[in-house]
Amino acid sequence: MIERPVKLACRHVWKIYGPHPDRLLAGGKAPTLNEIRGSNHVGAVRDVTVDVREGEIFVIMGLSGSGKSTLVRCLSRLIEPSGGEILFNGQDLLKASPAEMIEIRRHRMGMVFQHFALLPHLTVLQNVAFPLEIQGVAREAREARAREVTALVGLKGREDYFPRQLSGGQQQRVGIARSLAVEPELWFLDEPFSALDPLIRREMQDEFLRIQNQLHKTIVFITHDFDEAIRLADRIAIMKDGAVVQVATPEELVLAPADDYVAAFTAHVPRAKVVTIGRIMSAGVAPQVAGQVPASARVEDVADRIESAALPYAVTDAEGAVIGHVAAAAVIDVLIGRNR
Amino acid sequence: MSRTRALLWPVLFGVSLVLAFVSQHLPPWLLTPPQAMMIDLAGTTSAAMKWLVEDATFGMFTVKEATRAIATLIEVPYEAARILLVDGITEGKGRRASTIIPPISWIAVTAAMVALGIYARNLKLGLLIGALFLYLAVFGQWESAMVTLASILIAVPIGVVGGLALGILAFLSPTFSRVLSPILDLMQTVPTFAYLVPILFLFGFGPVAALIATVIYAMPPMVRITTLALRQVPPELQEFGRMVGCTPGQQMRKVLLPTALPDLMVGVNQVIMLSLNMVIIASMIGAGGLGFDVLNALRSLKIGDGIEAGLAITALALALDQLSQALAARSHVGAPVQGSWIKRHPKTVAVLVLIVVTGLAGLVLPWVQTYPREAMLSTRSFWSDLVTYVNVNYFDQIEAFKDAILINLLLPVKRFLLALPWPWVLALLTLAAWQVGRGRLAGLCLALGLFIVVTGLWEQAVTTVYLCGISVVIAALIGVPLGIWAAASNTAGKVIGAFIDMLQTLPSFVYLIPVIMLFRVGDFAAMIAVVLYALAPAVRYTAHGLRSVQSELIEAGIVCGCTRWQVLTRVRLPMALPDILLGVNQTIMLALSMLVITALVGTRDLGQEVYAALATADVGRGVMAGLAVAAIAIIADRLIAGATARAKARLGLSGE
């Protein structure tokens, strides 16, 4: 597979709170956690280097206090990092002037907030049109565009409601619509579904995937919910104490956790949810097959079909070429957690 | 250890009693601070003010010119408001003056208020406000009420805009906030009257000085509320504003201010009510209108006139309060009406048309312009008769009640306090401060106490403490049970809430009227007026504190088998203690702010000092007395705040 180009690159980014963060980082030093704590500082983000590629859903996962919210605010420069580089399309955001930052945010970034951050005095339509209003787009044009995205998130007919008249899930749909109104290249979602009830959360995750399948944005998605992360992510960065512990696909995280901390998260995840057919297939073309499955399919999604067939299935790659085959036994091994 | 601590204050109290008994035998300098200790701060202040007004200059212009300029800035719009509401445009002076264009007619003003009421909430509110204004016309209070309204129309916008501007600055600049905060603190503890005197000196006697005092008095809450409301905008919304690329100006105009608007409107309501209160009080330095009528009536003991003007103030206060509260709560639901300006503003158009039509019709039909004298009702004689009747028939009972309280409570406490040697009182004060807040607070309290000693105001200060102290204790004794009752039952809560709202809406002046009628002048009348005025916070904070006890805790109490009484005394009251203390604190502040008003009924405390200074325009004397009241207020505030903080910490309520 061809690697997609990097959209947002984060190089050795630090955010240290305390009296003299600059002294700790002077001359390109990389202080240890103990050095930071010993000098009465707090290392909210420590030496983070990650690449977010175009069109991927990049999830940053961590428990509360792990620095994930601070990191996403550093990436959007809502918080000024103490050190490092943040390259957006190759341009260092930390060197951008305030005016340049305003331009970048107006046209190329969107953000969805945990508690929705809707303006209480504006209607749904006015809220969605707000980013365009700030840019000085004429009323008709911005309202037309706002109607379009409001319909996209399934709120057609509620344009004239006020936020307080909507349920939490609907409010977040407004938040999503609003962040999409300017057609951003880079889309930040800061725990967008954490404030919602579990059933609604699930529904919104599906909705989110549906929208992403239409729009193919580059996404940085923050969550503290590992199940949510493996459901949505192309790749996951796991954070602990301000540092990134591991960056990997959900499958790699489960099968090869970098340390005990990651392993503790992944221990209870059913393998079938993350393991792909490509991982368990046997090489070579089978003489007789019951059908075809893509290598990228997750075991859970195709297990029923493969298990009930007498013959193995052919496995195809992204171009449709047959690259191997998979039989019921391999699928059952994954389902019951047996290692052979 | 804890036993000796528990015994400490009873023992000290016993010693105080003994000291008070033997006070005649103590050397006199212990009772009255000796002359040698006095510092002539008053004279110095007066001289400084004199220099400021007569000689000081900012280089380009003198202080006098600066105050003149400010005065003109305020006088011009004030005159305009008076022309619209009271005077009209006239030619000539005095009796020969002839009206060219009349002021807006009573019909048009009332209609405008009704329209505002409908705009703010609904027809019901519009009719209520219309009825209140009609009352002003029918009972012959129209002209005075319009003078008062004109002052408010000028003072409120200045207060709101000024407060908003300062509040925004304090929000944007932490440095500015740090400078502003202690000034606001001081302005809230210094009683109004402390700055009436310097303002009188700087701007002279008249409506402009009164307006400036009003703005100074009414603005601080707006500043605070603005800063607080902006800080309370959720951080996510602020981040959102930055993420969509708002410029700093857009961020303030389109994100922060609109989000904070409901809170800001609460501030506007406060400014309106405080302005009304102050405009009434400021009649002492030359604001005309209803306050002047009350003051006049009180001075000449014309009870009927006083009550009528007082009721008119009540009507005006009620109308303005309801209106501004409705405006604050107004939620703009519904799509905006399309069409031309006239179509979109039917009420404005109707009012404008009515102003012109009644103005023209008034030229022919005088009753349209001014409410006809013949149709006016007067309750003056009714009230006078009522008071006479009460005094004739119940004089003995009232007098007996008054004397009983005076002889058994007020006088003994007064004598006791005045008989205590001042070094002993200072020592006790410092000890209490040490217990609550250690060295810093002890130092502050001792310094403030010494300030009172060296200004030679010790006796007046003790009298103040005695009058306020007893009033606060009585207010708390009435207010806390009322608050408990209000929290216990919904019906009682509503009734008591309405009563308390009413008490808080009324300008402090109004309380004096019935009190003087029944009890005439003296400490007792002053005490009743102070208790009435200061009651509200005790009730309100108690009820609030009891209601906000976590329901889980109450359930835990019930599950443990507590009776209702036990739930109240073992769970709710202890948890509500910090709130109740806060309410008592507010009660003390209100009691102190009532002082100069009670000076009108002849008390001999610091309020009387200020009042006397006002009468003689003696700046130094007024400022010193005002600062002495402030010193008492700060001591009380810090001691109680310290105790509240400790209570909160003990209950684990202090948050992060």
Side-chain angles (χ1 to χ4, degrees), chain A residues 195-211:
Chain A
L196 305 176
D197 291 336
L199 275 180
I200 310 286
R201 193 181 307 164
R202 183 107 196 154
E203 185 190 318
M204 292 292 287
Q205 288 165 358
D206 292 337
E207 185 78 14
F208 167 73
L209 287 174
R210 181 183 68 80
I211 293 171

Side-chain angles (χ1 to χ4, degrees), chain A residues 73 105-106 114-115 133, chain B residues 236 239 242 245 250 254:
Chain A
R73 280 162 177 73
R105 286 182 179 140
R106 280 186 177 180
Q114 182 175 2
H115 300 289
E133 182 190 341
Chain B
E236 273 196 346
E239 288 178 344
R242 290 173 59 199
Q250 285 176 325
K254 302 209 162 193

Side-chain angles (χ1 to χ4, degrees), chain B residues 471-483 496 499-501 503-504 511 527-543 580 583-584 586-591 594:
Chain B
S471 306
V472 167
V473 169
I474 293 179
L477 284 181
I478 301 172
V480 172
L482 271 182
I496 293 172
F499 172 66
I500 290 302
D501 276 347
L503 281 184
Q504 276 211 321
Y511 291 97
M527 184 196 83
I528 302 279
V530 174
V531 168
L532 278 178
Y533 182 63
L535 187 61
V539 181
R540 193 163 279 174
Y541 280 81
T542 305
I580 297 177
V584 171
Q586 286 291 309
T587 301
I588 295 177
M589 296 304 138
L590 285 186
M594 188 70 183

Side-chain angles (χ1 to χ4, degrees), chain B residues 4-26:
Chain B
T4 49
R5 279 201 108 178
L7 276 177
L8 176 65
W9 284 101
V11 167
L12 288 175
F13 182 71
V15 175
S16 305
L17 271 182
V18 173
L19 275 173
F21 264 108
V22 300
S23 63
Q24 279 128 329
H25 310 291
L26 295 172

Side-chain angles (χ1 to χ4, degrees), chain B residues 421-503:
Chain B
W422 59 269
W424 175 250
V425 177
L426 284 186
L428 289 186
L429 174 67
T430 314
L431 178 65
W434 173 267
Q435 281 195 342
V436 171
R438 299 295 141 187
R440 266 186 84 176
L441 189 59
L444 175 74
C445 287
L446 183 63
L448 290 173
L450 280 173
F451 168 78
I452 293 175
V453 170
V454 301
T455 46
L457 292 168
W458 182 256
E459 265 176 48
Q460 288 92 327
V462 172
T463 315
T464 303
V465 171
Y466 131 80
L467 191 62
C468 283
I470 288 189
S471 306
V472 167
V473 169
I474 293 179
L477 284 181
I478 301 172
V480 172
L482 271 182
I484 293 175
W485 192 24
S489 125
N490 270 334
T491 332
K494 266 182 207 149
V495 175
I496 293 172
F499 172 66
I500 290 302
D501 276 347
M502 177 85 182
L503 281 184

Side-chain angles (χ1 to χ4, degrees), chain A residues 123-124 158 160-168 170-171, chain B residues 333-334:
Chain A
T123 62
V124 168
R158 296 188 195 259
D160 292 330
Y161 283 45
F162 282 94
R164 61 175 179 276
Q165 297 166 307
L166 299 176
S167 70
Q170 289 170 328
Q171 291 194 30
Chain B
V333 187

